[in-house]
Amino acid sequence: MTNPLLSGAELPAFAAIRPAHIGPALDVLLAQADAALERAVGADCPADFDALALILDVPLERLSRAWSAVGHLNEVADTPELRAAYNENLGRVTDLHTRIGADARLFARYRAIHQGADEARLSPPRRAALDHAIRDFVLGGAELQGAAKARFTAIQNRSAELSQAFSEHVLDATDSFSLLASAEQMAGVPADVQQASRDAAQAAGNASGHLLSLHIPVYLPVMRHAQDRDLRAQLHRAYQTRASAFGPPERDNSALMQELLALRAEEAALLGYGSYGALSLVPKMAESPGQVMAFMRDLASRARAHAERDVAELREFAASALGLAELQPWDVAFASERLKQARYAFSEQELKAYFTEPRVLAGLFDLIERLLEVRILPDTAEVWHASVRFFRIECGGELVGQFYLDPYARPGKRPGAWMDVVRSRWARPDAAGALQTPVAQLVCNFAAPVGEQPALLTHDDVVTLFHEFGHGLHHLLTQVNELAVAGISGVEWDAVELPSQFMENFCWEWPVLSQLSAHVDTGLPLPRDLFDKMLAARNFQSGIATLRQVEFALTDMRLHTEPGAAQAVDRISDEVRAECAVLPQAAYNRNLHSFSHLFDGGYAAGYYSYKWAEVLSADAFAAFEEAGIGDLTTGRRWRQSVLEVGGSRPALESFKAFRGRAPTIDALLRHHGMA
């Protein structure tokens, strides 16, 4: 058969890839990579950057692109057959990368280049790539010997299996839940959600009622608007106990979490670090777990008074206006939405009518085109679902990059929003330096269109879309030609959120929102008075939100730092919650069991990155507030100083090149109303 994973095509043939293709393709690609490794460490291969790139990086990049396509389909189009094929081959791919990253012979070859006379003549991006490679060999176990190296390899393979199982359990727990609600129970829920849930019920063979799920486009509106308290309580319990002991044993992530934490601690010890937290920070901006926790606790101290005031106001309102004498966890979203409406005289649902997906995309594209001096145009490619679209970015008439956009939630698609790399910018050594342009996937989980109406986005959805586009622009607009440091590659993990969180700020600017809003029925833009109400409500419960992020970050770092944490997950979680939380918590709360960021999302001992990078992003956006939101000179400097350089230099240097100084926390506090 013709195997699309071996075609060598510029873009993945997503529509043609079948589970049966995966094993045979990897037989070929893994064999090629193994052979390339032996050639790279052989006597005939000189200690030369270009020689190693040609011999080793080319087949490894080919493997990476094929496996990335498989992994992507596993996340957005899960089927039992695809999942089985993915899991059957996951260990093989993990093992190869672990062996290469720990190969002492290859490590010696890179060190010879690093210490050679030609090293000083390398371009800055190549020197950065080489520095990262040396560091990563050490972190990859290349200096380990004998039993220690064998154990390190076993840890990598087992950790990959556990992370994949964690993700599957969360997906299955989310997809398997359904609740048939009556029309009376749905009182207060927005009309579009009622229609979508009614359609889902009929599609499932129920002539009446509303079929509810735990997918965010259903779950959040019900929690915020349903007047039926018992319905909210049922959904809240189901959502907060996903993949835990409160559900089917085969989906319980408890044992997986404990084993993963224990393996991470053991990995750190093998490499000579006191904790996985310390190990994880080696390639990051932060210097130590203590520094991270001090930063988060300082932020908490600044936010606590605001958060306590937020909670006191919410409790008083819930009791006096809603008759809720005792505020329960399943009441918080509902009471908060009612309080916001009472205080600011608008609702999220009223706002949602102005954010049709076509108009939001057009406004976002227009902003990017004007500010960054590029063009975004429709393009053509094979896709994995009919709702997926494909675009190209051009600058001066030349192709810069391309991206897929997968906006809607559906069964078989992992919850959340993310950007993934299809391929990176690279002056290919196997094509005389011909330039390979980058391609990205932007994935969200918005509510799909209902009937003839276009999809309607909440303002939170708009912020999420801008956020993921920030990641995409960081990857797509790079001008670095070295694979290892182009785009987001090589960027410190606690700085990788800088461009994404930077983009979020535009969602609160009148010149931007007035251009990306149009009422679904009248076509009129967002009224200025409604925007003013929305802006006044921007920092509504910001103290609560800040403490929630601090709680997650401290829990994460303590789990990955303290001795014996693997056996004390619930205790540590409870202690951090007691330190940080100001809202009521349900005794059944098991949110860590579905916290994919920590156990399957690359943020282990790194969740603090969101707040760490938000200091950078708020300060960076302040440059536009000072010069003008649409200032082209500032936009050009942002593109050239941050987006184009990727990981070719430290993120702090890029920030200073843009801002002219080191970052301060002032803008972040001001944006959150805590200055």
Side-chain angles (χ1 to χ4, degrees), residues 198-337:
R198 189 182 301 114
D199 293 344
Q202 292 175 355
N206 298 288
S208 62
H210 300 260
L211 195 64
L212 305 182
S213 74
L214 297 180
H215 290 284
I216 290 299
V218 174
Y219 175 76
L220 277 184
V222 173
M223 295 305 297
R224 287 173 174 168
H225 299 284
Q227 297 168 10
D228 191 305
R229 196 181 192 192
D230 290 338
L231 178 63
R232 299 199 308 269
Q234 283 182 271
L235 278 184
H236 185 270
R237 183 183 181 92
Y239 190 83
Q240 295 295 334
T241 59
R242 287 176 300 159
S244 75
F246 289 94
E250 65 272 16
R251 295 189 194 128
D252 184 3
N253 275 334
S254 301
L256 273 67
M257 295 158 61
Q258 291 178 5
E259 188 176 355
L260 266 172
L261 291 170
L263 289 174
R264 289 169 180 172
E266 186 181 358
E267 175 187 343
L270 283 171
L271 294 175
Y273 290 89
S275 69
Y276 187 83
L279 170 62
S280 81
L281 295 183
V282 174
K284 296 184 172 78
M285 293 178 69
E287 297 175 358
S288 69
Q291 182 193 27
V292 168
M293 289 192 278
F295 165 71
M296 297 307 301
R297 287 186 167 119
D298 176 62
L299 190 57
S301 69
R302 297 171 185 265
R304 178 158 294 279
H306 299 273
E308 290 174 344
R309 184 184 64 240
D310 291 341
V311 173
E313 292 173 347
L314 184 63
R315 290 187 188 279
E316 192 281 327
F317 176 82
S320 62
L322 304 178
L324 298 174
E326 184 176 354
L327 191 69
Q328 296 291 351
W330 49 89
D331 298 324
V332 170
F334 177 77
S336 295
E337 184 64 25

Side-chain angles (χ1 to χ4, degrees), residues 84-119:
Y86 180 84
N87 287 331
E88 285 169 9
N89 290 282
L90 175 61
R92 302 169 69 196
V93 177
T94 303
D95 180 69
L96 173 87
H97 286 297
T98 301
R99 284 191 293 106
I100 289 177
D103 193 294
R105 302 167 301 166
L106 189 61
F107 183 28
R109 188 58 51 91
Y110 274 94
R111 277 191 301 192
I113 300 172
H114 195 256
Q115 297 165 1
D118 291 339
E119 193 274 340

Side-chain angles (χ1 to χ4, degrees), residues 134 163 177 216 235 286 325-326 344 370 373 391 416 426 448-449 459 463 465 502 508 510 566 618 626 632 666 671 675:
I134 298 298
S163 293
F177 176 86
I216 290 299
L235 278 184
E326 184 176 354
Y344 301 106
R370 286 186 291 106
E373 301 172 301
F391 300 89
W426 193 22
H459 186 255
V463 172
L465 184 65
F502 166 85
W508 297 96
W510 172 248
E626 294 158 8
L632 291 180
D666 300 352
H671 283 185

Side-chain angles (χ1 to χ4, degrees), residues 39-56:
R39 289 197 301 275
V41 299
D44 294 337
C45 177
D48 176 78
F49 194 100
D50 288 309
L52 279 178
L54 179 60
I55 292 173
L56 188 58

Side-chain angles (χ1 to χ4, degrees), residues 130-143:
L130 193 56
D131 288 342
H132 292 179
I134 298 298
R135 177 199 68 201
D136 293 343
F137 271 112
V138 176
L139 298 181
E143 294 180 326

